[in-house]
Amino acid sequence: MLPDIENLLKLQDADKEIRRLQEEVAELPKRVAAIEQKLAGTKAQLERAQAAVKADDAARRKYDTAITDLRGKISKYRDQSLEVKTNDQYKALLHEIQFAEQEITANEDKILELMVNADARDKEVKAAQAELKEETAEIEKEKEQARQRTAEDEKLLVEWRAKRDQLRSGVREDLLRHYERVSKFRGSGISEVRDHKCMACQVMLRPQTYNDVRSGKETVVCDSCQRILYFNPAEELVEKKETIHRPKRHHPKIDAAQAWYYRLEFAGDGEVFLCLTNSSGQASRRVYDIHTGRLLGDILIREGDYRQAFPEDITGSTRLNGGWTEEELDGFGAELPMVILDSLNADLDLARYEASSGTQTKHAVPAPEHAAS
Ligand SMILES: [Zn+2]
């Protein structure tokens, strides 16, 4: 992969993280504002309840005053009634007194009504006060959390921006400009190529473009979305294993003087390669660790052909390609050379692939050996 591409991928990660942090920082005051708005609503509710109490008090004073006035009037009418001369005048005064008494009762009823309401009003005020207190405490907590989170985010932003600047300096200038322009419009400026497709816009690439991206020698942009394209060799490996581009496996001969086998488990040593060799009427067995290539235990020699000498090692093992002379094997000493270890492992890979895809043919590995593997 081109160093420019590697840096762009890291730059993309940094850009994403910076964007996420910026969004989070912008989001926090909005959350606080939403709670503050709710708080303002509760404050208004409390003020309304308090105003209602005040209005009731004023009304009560008004009714009290009216009652006092009416009583004054009644007292005056009584005084006047002592001095009247005619029955009609007396009746008229009596009527006035009755009317004033009715008025007093009406005012007293209103006062009683206010007194009954006062309990409910009081409850309303107390509830609004409690709610306000709770919300105020909550908003203080939220504000504090927002302050802390913002401070943390700002600190991270400084770090990520420094990282981004450093990464930017590691990318060719024209490429960087292209990346930033596309990022601005599309949210990302670089895209992986897989299965001949740009993974961002899902458009198939022309064969030449695909080959250019795969070769990784120059930077290529997607014709459709303009993102800079890259090819991940790790994905290529997966792709290779899954496609039919595998080389056809060469199959070992049944009657070869030497046979290599793979065993999943051998004498508690885990996965091993066994090397069985016929030589002058005797058979030798060497056991190697498949990961390190180290020779495990001693070289075992038995009389006869290796098929008769080591049948228990052959059963359930996977036959592999490989052929080296006794002298060469002795020359390898306690450890297989890496190139040989690699070739055995590659052949094992192919054998496994054959077994899983059912591509093996009847002339492949001898049946009894494979049956149990
Ligand atoms: Zn594209």
Coordinates of all heavy atoms in Angstrom, one line a residue, residues 4-19 160 164 167-168 171 176 179 182-183 186-192 200 227-228 230:
D4 N 1.2 7.2 1.1 CA 0.1 8.3 1.0 C -1.2 7.7 1.4 O -2.0 8.4 2.1 CB 0.0 8.9 -0.4 CG 1.0 10.0 -0.6 OD1 1.4 10.6 0.5 OD2 1.3 10.4 -1.7
I5 N -1.5 6.5 0.9 CA -2.8 5.9 1.2 C -2.9 5.5 2.7 O -3.9 5.8 3.3 CB -3.0 4.6 0.3 CG1 -3.1 5.0 -1.1 CG2 -4.3 3.9 0.7 CD1 -4.3 5.7 -1.6
E6 N -1.8 5.0 3.2 CA -1.8 4.6 4.6 C -2.1 5.8 5.5 O -2.8 5.8 6.4 CB -0.5 4.0 5.0 CG -0.5 2.5 4.7 CD 0.9 1.8 4.9 OE1 1.5 2.3 5.9 OE2 1.3 0.9 4.2
N7 N -1.4 6.9 5.1 CA -1.6 8.2 5.9 C -3.0 8.7 5.7 O -3.6 9.2 6.7 CB -0.6 9.2 5.4 CG 0.8 8.9 6.0 OD1 0.9 8.4 7.1 ND2 1.8 9.3 5.3
L8 N -3.6 8.6 4.5 CA -5.0 9.1 4.3 C -6.0 8.3 5.1 O -6.9 8.8 5.7 CB -5.3 9.0 2.8 CG -4.9 10.1 1.9 CD1 -5.2 9.8 0.5 CD2 -5.4 11.4 2.4
L9 N -5.7 7.0 5.2 CA -6.6 6.1 6.1 C -6.6 6.6 7.5 O -7.6 6.7 8.2 CB -6.2 4.7 5.9 CG -6.7 4.0 4.6 CD1 -6.1 2.6 4.5 CD2 -8.2 3.9 4.5
K10 N -5.4 6.9 8.0 CA -5.2 7.3 9.4 C -5.9 8.7 9.5 O -6.5 9.0 10.5 CB -3.8 7.4 9.8 CG -3.2 6.0 10.0 CD -1.7 6.1 10.4 CE -1.0 4.8 10.2 NZ 0.5 5.0 10.0
L11 N -5.7 9.5 8.5 CA -6.2 10.9 8.5 C -7.7 10.8 8.5 O -8.4 11.6 9.2 CB -5.7 11.6 7.2 CG -6.2 13.1 7.1 CD1 -5.8 13.9 8.2 CD2 -5.7 13.7 5.8
Q12 N -8.3 9.9 7.8 CA -9.7 9.7 7.8 C -10.3 9.3 9.2 O -11.3 9.9 9.6 CB -10.1 8.6 6.8 CG -11.6 8.3 6.8 CD -12.1 7.6 5.5 OE1 -12.6 8.3 4.6 NE2 -12.0 6.3 5.5
D13 N -9.5 8.4 9.8 CA -9.9 8.1 11.2 C -9.9 9.3 12.1 O -10.8 9.5 12.9 CB -9.0 7.0 11.8 CG -9.2 5.6 11.2 OD1 -10.3 5.5 10.6 OD2 -8.4 4.8 11.3
A14 N -8.8 10.1 12.0 CA -8.7 11.3 12.8 C -9.8 12.3 12.5 O -10.4 12.9 13.4 CB -7.3 12.0 12.5
D15 N -10.1 12.5 11.2 CA -11.2 13.4 10.8 C -12.5 12.9 11.4 O -13.3 13.7 11.8 CB -11.3 13.4 9.2 CG -10.3 14.3 8.6 OD1 -9.7 15.1 9.3 OD2 -10.0 14.1 7.4
K16 N -12.8 11.6 11.3 CA -14.0 11.1 11.9 C -14.1 11.4 13.4 O -15.2 11.8 13.9 CB -14.1 9.5 11.7 CG -14.8 9.1 10.4 CD -15.0 7.6 10.4 CE -15.0 7.1 9.0 NZ -14.6 5.7 8.9
E17 N -13.0 11.1 14.1 CA -13.0 11.3 15.5 C -13.2 12.8 15.9 O -14.0 13.2 16.8 CB -11.7 10.8 16.1 CG -11.7 10.8 17.6 CD -12.8 10.0 18.3 OE1 -13.4 9.1 17.6 OE2 -13.0 10.1 19.5
I18 N -12.6 13.7 15.1 CA -12.7 15.1 15.3 C -14.2 15.5 15.1 O -14.8 16.3 15.9 CB -11.8 15.9 14.4 CG1 -10.3 15.8 14.9 CG2 -12.1 17.4 14.3 CD1 -9.3 16.2 13.9
R19 N -14.8 15.0 14.0 CA -16.2 15.3 13.7 C -17.1 14.9 14.8 O -18.0 15.6 15.3 CB -16.6 14.7 12.4 CG -17.6 15.5 11.6 CD -17.7 15.2 10.2 NE -17.3 13.9 9.8 CZ -16.5 13.5 8.8 NH1 -15.9 14.5 8.2 NH2 -16.2 12.3 8.5
W160 N -6.3 15.3 18.9 CA -6.6 14.8 17.5 C -6.3 15.8 16.4 O -5.9 15.4 15.3 CB -8.1 14.4 17.4 CG -8.4 13.1 18.0 CD1 -9.0 12.8 19.2 CD2 -8.1 11.8 17.3 NE1 -9.0 11.4 19.3 CE2 -8.5 10.8 18.2 CE3 -7.5 11.5 16.1 CZ2 -8.4 9.5 17.9 CZ3 -7.4 10.1 15.8 CH2 -7.8 9.1 16.7
R164 N -4.0 15.1 13.4 CA -4.4 15.3 12.0 C -3.4 16.1 11.2 O -3.1 15.8 10.1 CB -5.8 16.0 12.0 CG -6.3 16.2 10.6 CD -7.6 16.8 10.6 NE -7.6 18.2 11.2 CZ -8.7 18.9 11.3 NH1 -9.8 18.5 10.9 NH2 -8.6 20.1 11.8
L167 N -0.5 14.0 10.3 CA -0.9 13.1 9.2 C -1.0 13.8 7.9 O -0.6 13.3 6.8 CB -2.2 12.4 9.5 CG -2.1 11.3 10.6 CD1 -3.5 10.9 11.1 CD2 -1.3 10.1 10.2
R168 N -1.6 15.0 7.9 CA -1.7 15.8 6.7 C -0.4 16.1 6.1 O -0.2 16.1 4.8 CB -2.4 17.1 7.0 CG -3.9 17.0 7.1 CD -4.5 18.3 7.8 NE -4.1 19.4 7.0 CZ -4.9 20.1 6.2 NH1 -6.1 19.7 6.0 NH2 -4.4 21.2 5.6
V171 N 1.0 13.5 3.6 CA 0.3 13.2 2.3 C 0.7 14.2 1.3 O 0.7 15.4 1.6 CB -1.2 13.2 2.6 CG1 -1.9 12.8 1.3 CG2 -1.6 12.2 3.7
L176 N -3.9 15.5 -1.0 CA -4.6 15.9 0.2 C -5.7 16.9 -0.1 O -6.8 16.8 0.4 CB -3.6 16.7 1.1 CG -4.1 17.2 2.4 CD1 -4.5 16.0 3.3 CD2 -3.0 18.0 3.1
Y179 N -8.6 14.8 -1.5 CA -9.2 14.1 -0.3 C -10.1 15.0 0.4 O -11.3 14.7 0.7 CB -8.1 13.5 0.6 CG -8.6 13.1 1.9 CD1 -9.2 11.8 2.1 CD2 -8.5 13.9 3.0 CE1 -9.7 11.5 3.3 CE2 -9.0 13.6 4.3 CZ -9.6 12.3 4.4 OH -10.1 11.9 5.7
V182 N -13.3 16.1 -1.6 CA -14.4 15.0 -1.7 C -15.0 14.8 -0.3 O -16.2 14.6 -0.2 CB -13.7 13.7 -2.3 CG1 -14.8 12.6 -2.3 CG2 -13.2 14.0 -3.7
S183 N -14.1 14.8 0.7 CA -14.6 14.6 2.1 C -15.7 15.6 2.5 O -16.7 15.2 3.1 CB -13.5 14.7 3.1 OG -12.6 13.7 3.0
R186 N -18.8 14.6 0.5 CA -19.3 13.2 0.6 C -19.2 12.6 2.0 O -19.6 11.5 2.2 CB -18.7 12.3 -0.4 CG -18.9 12.7 -1.9 CD -18.6 11.6 -2.8 NE -18.8 12.0 -4.2 CZ -19.9 11.9 -4.8 NH1 -21.0 11.5 -4.2 NH2 -20.0 12.3 -6.1
G187 N -18.5 13.3 2.9 CA -18.4 12.8 4.2 C -17.2 11.9 4.4 O -16.7 11.6 5.5
S188 N -16.6 11.3 3.3 CA -15.4 10.6 3.3 C -14.7 10.7 2.0 O -15.3 11.0 1.0 CB -15.7 9.1 3.6 OG -16.3 8.5 2.4
G189 N -13.4 10.7 2.0 CA -12.6 11.0 0.8 C -11.8 9.8 0.3 O -11.1 9.9 -0.8
I190 N -12.0 8.6 1.0 CA -11.2 7.5 0.5 C -12.1 6.2 0.6 O -12.9 6.1 1.5 CB -9.9 7.3 1.4 CG1 -9.0 6.2 0.8 CG2 -10.1 7.2 2.9 CD1 -7.5 6.4 1.3
S191 N -11.9 5.3 -0.3 CA -12.8 4.1 -0.3 C -12.0 2.9 -0.7 O -11.1 2.9 -1.5 CB -13.9 4.4 -1.3 OG -14.6 3.2 -1.5
E192 N -12.4 1.8 0.0 CA -11.7 0.5 -0.3 C -12.4 -0.1 -1.6 O -13.5 0.1 -1.9 CB -11.9 -0.4 0.9 CG -11.1 -1.7 0.7 CD -11.3 -2.7 1.9 OE1 -11.9 -2.3 2.9 OE2 -10.9 -3.8 1.7
A200 N -17.6 2.4 -1.4 CA -18.4 3.6 -0.9 C -19.6 3.9 -1.8 O -20.7 4.1 -1.3 CB -17.5 4.8 -0.9
R227 N -13.8 9.4 -4.9 CA -13.0 9.1 -3.7 C -11.7 8.4 -4.2 O -11.7 7.7 -5.2 CB -13.8 8.1 -2.8 CG -14.9 8.8 -2.0 CD -15.6 7.8 -1.1 NE -16.7 8.4 -0.4 CZ -17.9 8.4 -0.8 NH1 -18.3 7.8 -1.9 NH2 -18.9 8.9 0.0
I228 N -10.7 8.6 -3.4 CA -9.4 8.0 -3.6 C -9.5 6.5 -3.3 O -10.1 6.1 -2.2 CB -8.3 8.6 -2.8 CG1 -8.1 10.1 -3.2 CG2 -7.0 7.9 -2.9 CD1 -7.5 11.0 -2.1
Y230 N -8.3 2.5 -2.7 CA -7.2 1.7 -2.2 C -7.6 0.3 -2.1 O -8.8 -0.1 -2.1 CB -6.7 2.2 -0.8 CG -7.6 1.9 0.3 CD1 -7.4 0.7 1.1 CD2 -8.7 2.7 0.6 CE1 -8.2 0.4 2.2 CE2 -9.5 2.4 1.7 CZ -9.3 1.3 2.4 OH -10.1 1.0 3.5

